[in-house]
Amino acid sequence: MHYAPVVDRFPIVPALDPLALALFAATFVAAALLTMRRAAYGAAALAFVLPFACAHAVGATTISLPKIVLLGVATGLLGTRAPLAALRDRPARAMALAFAVLCAAVLATTAVAAYRGEALREGAKWLEYALLFVTAACAYRSDPDAKLLRRAFALSVAAVCASALVQEVIGAPWGIVFAPGLAPRISGALEGPNQLAGYLEIALAMLAAWSVAAPSRARAALLAVAATTLALTFSRAGIA
């Protein structure tokens, strides 16, 4: 007996093809131009696109939508002369230092790693996170528009939740055994239920903080939907 459909479907990262390359190139140009027009648009784009990978394989690595948008926003900031003074703030400086130490520690392990390719990819991943933080901090410091940023993030969370909840009807690629049957573990736009749970934990904390600072029915409704979606992942990472 199945409570809801669970389908045997395994995520496969497709190879980069000419169409995907053209779309990534267009996305890069759009992100750069929007950021040059207003740095706040770049920060909003980063907030919106993070959970939507749309990854394509290139050799031993992947190109994803968030990476392309990040490079576009960083490029656009060069045209706006966004102030690196954002990193002079004590919290930002502490975070940047933490990223630097972590990146150095991960990359230092490549000399003795049994699998150097994997170690290098892990180091590159943390370098990407560091660049994301610096880019977002500089974009927001250059053009602080909290309302636009909140709207972009809320829209992203709503889209992620919708993509996950629809799997309760059309089928989820993951399941968990509950007597007397099998229940779906939804993941939506993210690669798995645990990843969705981790994303929603952060989203719930931010939405809750914003709801306290500026209460609204729409934000409260989104908070409820996100909490429901998190519960339906049946993820141990989301128990807290």
Side-chain angles (χ1 to χ4, degrees), residues 85-108:
L87 299 181
R88 296 176 185 171
D89 296 338
R90 181 174 295 179
R93 189 168 63 248
M95 185 68 74
L97 178 61
F99 271 119
V101 171
L102 185 54
C103 289
V106 173
L107 292 174

Side-chain angles (χ1 to χ4, degrees), residues 1-237:
M1 173 179 153
H2 290 229
Y3 298 118
V6 177
V7 297
D8 292 327
R9 186 172 65 220
F10 300 95
I12 298 175
V13 179
L16 184 67
D17 54 35
L19 177 59
L21 181 60
L23 291 175
F24 281 145
T27 300
F28 171 82
V29 172
L33 291 177
L34 283 173
T35 304
M36 291 176 67
R37 184 171 183 178
R38 271 198 69 187
Y41 292 155
L46 290 173
F48 176 82
V49 79
L50 279 179
F52 306 105
C54 301
H56 285 70
V58 179
T61 187
T62 59
I63 295 179
S64 65
L65 193 59
K67 292 178 183 177
I68 295 299
V69 172
L70 173 58
L71 290 176
V73 173
T75 302
L77 286 177
L78 296 177
T80 61
R81 296 182 179 179
L84 287 176
L87 299 181
R88 296 176 185 171
D89 296 338
R90 181 174 295 179
R93 189 168 63 248
M95 185 68 74
L97 178 61
F99 271 119
V101 171
L102 185 54
C103 289
V106 173
L107 292 174
T109 64
T110 58
V112 295
Y115 301 95
R116 292 187 177 179
E118 285 73 8
L120 284 171
R121 280 196 292 273
E122 189 67 19
K125 184 186 300 182
W126 282 103
L127 286 173
E128 176 191 346
Y129 297 155
L131 177 61
L132 173 61
F133 170 74
V134 171
T135 302
C138 292
Y140 188 79
R141 177 65 177 266
S142 176
D143 186 9
D145 190 336
K147 183 179 292 187
L148 178 62
L149 190 62
R150 287 197 298 266
R151 287 178 177 174
F153 183 75
L155 183 60
S156 181
V157 174
V160 167
C161 290
S163 71
L165 291 174
V166 74
Q167 290 182 339
E168 292 285 344
V169 178
I170 66 173
W174 315 87
I176 186 170
V177 175
F178 278 126
L182 185 66
R185 296 183 64 203
I186 57 179
S187 56
L190 281 88
E191 58 187 293
N194 293 333
Q195 288 79 2
L196 176 59
Y199 170 79
L200 288 177
E201 281 185 325
I202 298 172
L204 283 169
M206 297 181 67
L207 290 172
W210 288 336
S211 295
V212 172
S216 74
R217 292 183 179 179
R219 196 169 292 123
L222 181 57
L223 192 61
V225 170
T228 302
T229 305
L230 175 58
L232 292 173
T233 63
F234 294 106
S235 171
R236 286 174 294 179

